[in-house]
Amino acid sequence: MSGARRTDGRIGFARPGWFWTGTALCVAGVVAHLPMYRTLTEPTGHHAAMGGMAGMKATGWDPFMTVGMALILAGLAACVRGLVSPHRPSGSGGTPQVAFAEDAPLKPAHWALTLVMTLAVAIDMMKPLTLSFVAPGVAEEYGLRSPAHPQGAVPVALLPLFGLGGTVVGSFLWGRFGDRLGRRPAILLAGVVFVATSVCGAMPQFSLNLVMCFVMGLSAGGMLPLTFTLLTETVPARHRGTLVVLIGTGIALGYVLTSWAASLLVPEYGWRVLWLLGLPTGIVLLLLNRWVPESPRFLAAQGRETEAEAVLTRYGARLIPDPRRPGASSGGPAPSGGGLSLLRAPYAWTGLPLVVFALGIGLVTYGFQLWIPSDLRRLGFTDVSADTILRDSSLLGLPFNLAIAWLYGRWSSKGTLVGLGTCTACAMAALSVVGERVVDHPGLLRVLLAVPICAASSAVAVLSAYTAEVYPTAVRSRASGLTAGVTKAGGLLMTAAIAAAVTVPSLRTTALLGAVPLAVATAVIVLAGVETRARALEEITAETARQDEPASA
């Protein structure tokens, strides 16, 4: 075991000096962009104006910005070197099949990990959700086409289109990283990219904003599946469902924090400040790394039993031999391809229903919700009142997320997933029927928005937890990345339709586009879903493997 490895259950960095030096370089690079941010926001005091932008286009990049970008690139390279070990892990030489003492009680380490992962999910969700709150300001500054400014030539929808496109690619990419490099290195690398991409708030041209939003999406798309995968592989079976879905409150919390920051900061500092929030939130996530272990199941599958036992000591569990036979496989072989390979045999029957559901819930979470702020402004609400309505709607639904976590862990995982799909589809259908008349009743508007915002965010959490449970360790991170990527693809499809002027972001249209496929997807889960509540992961994956045998025959 290398000197960088720890035996106290917190698997260390391959090269800690490289990692922290790279992190410092990224932070310095972001700080070097602040003069540009100040220049862009000075012309009008609150918002950057077209006159200020014209000056920046004439003079080019600020010298500090050029140096800052070089520091960020060097920092990212150093962080990768610090996280990735050049040597294959040592172990028994095989791939022993192991099981956990799933009746182990919850330890303080479990609660610490749950809190950190909840915060990670909230920070992760703030990235793509920020797209919806900056879109009105971006459209005004650059003279883009939007619901409030239909005369523009270039659609502001290109911004979320690039951002969501990055999250789709990032979900697949980071899922692969998690299965090859480990869950913890992939999570920390995403945190570093969070810090680096906060410079999006200092980009002087719309084209540069598009590029940075795509890169931002790469890291934001990867964090969510990794957090659910790690917690699923670390928590005992009888507590797993409740705790794993509980971190889904971070999705709703991310919406609360983003809408709160928008209502508090944007009127004073402009839309760009929302991107700069990636700097402090990313640093906080990196500083909490001591409570983020490597997955013991991943370590065991890599033949690193000593390190796996060290992690499990903190969580009141231990490794035991496979009770079936030495070297037995649970859940089928690991495909050599990326996430899409999980839609072929032997995983087709398991994966296809989840992908259909992910697409439906994605049309709601990253399609309908993304355009709510713009649509409320089009209907006459001010920036502050629109953001406040969304904040209040998110707060109304936070207790709902806690109830969902209890239902998933104590009642039925499949039933909870089906119930959320039904509830969200019905709420979207109601909004489609009522349409824009709901704006005459602010109280009803808050309630009707609270249902899809919170039910959909809970459905994302439940879907992520469920996916991590039904796939085996060898492909679990890739599978989580698959459903996360398809979820974002739902929003990407709706945003692409809006950018191409196929539809407009109205309450009635976007609600209907989300309701129909989600209803179909929920019916598919009723027919094909597997119950996972309080069952060992090895038992679940063995059952899904038997279900997939006809598809692979």
Side-chain angles (χ1 to χ4, degrees), residues 12 101 106 141 149 163 194 259 328 349 388 440 452 480:
L106 289 178
E141 178 174 327
H149 301 84
F194 280 179
S259 57
W349 186 250
T388 302
D440 297 326
S480 297

Side-chain angles (χ1 to χ4, degrees), residues 339-357:
L340 291 177
S341 63
L342 300 177
L343 296 181
R344 302 192 298 266
Y347 299 107
W349 186 250
T350 298
L352 286 174
L354 298 182
V355 166
V356 174
F357 191 91

Side-chain angles (χ1 to χ4, degrees), residues 239-254:
H239 302 291
R240 185 183 62 238
T242 301
L243 286 190
V244 172
V245 177
L246 190 62
I247 70 173
T249 58
I251 299 175
L253 180 61

Side-chain angles (χ1 to χ4, degrees), residues 1-12 306-314:
M1 186 179 298
S2 67
R5 301 288 177 190
R6 307 174 70 112
T7 58
D8 63 354
R10 295 193 304 271
I11 304 304
T306 302
E307 295 173 71
E309 288 281 10
V311 173
L312 289 175
T313 298
R314 298 178 63 205

Side-chain angles (χ1 to χ4, degrees), residues 192-212:
V192 174
V193 181
F194 280 179
V195 172
T197 54
S198 61
V199 299
C200 192
M203 293 295 104
Q205 299 173 6
F206 182 59
S207 59
L208 295 177
N209 275 277
L210 296 180
V211 173
M212 291 308 303

Side-chain angles (χ1 to χ4, degrees), residues 361-434:
I361 204 66
L363 286 167
V364 177
T365 305
Y366 298 100
F368 169 74
Q369 291 185 25
L370 188 65
W371 292 103
I372 291 177
S374 295
D375 196 54
L376 290 178
R377 287 165 176 79
R378 181 179 63 83
L379 295 176
F381 290 93
T382 65
D383 290 357
V384 174
S385 62
D387 296 338
T388 302
I389 286 173
L390 296 174
R391 182 200 63 198
D392 293 345
S393 297
S394 302
L395 288 172
L396 281 172
L398 278 177
F400 180 77
N401 293 91
L402 300 177
I404 293 301
W406 185 89
L407 287 172
Y408 188 89
R410 302 298 180 184
W411 173 56
S412 168
S413 58
K414 176 181 174 180
T416 303
L417 189 62
V418 170
L420 281 172
T422 303
C423 181
T424 307
C426 290
M428 298 293 286
L431 275 171
S432 179
V433 171
V434 176

Side-chain angles (χ1 to χ4, degrees), residues 64-85:
F64 287 104
M65 186 175 176
T66 303
V67 173
M69 194 62 69
L71 290 174
I72 288 173
L73 293 175
L76 290 174
C79 287
V80 171
R81 181 171 175 80
L83 288 171
V84 180
S85 173

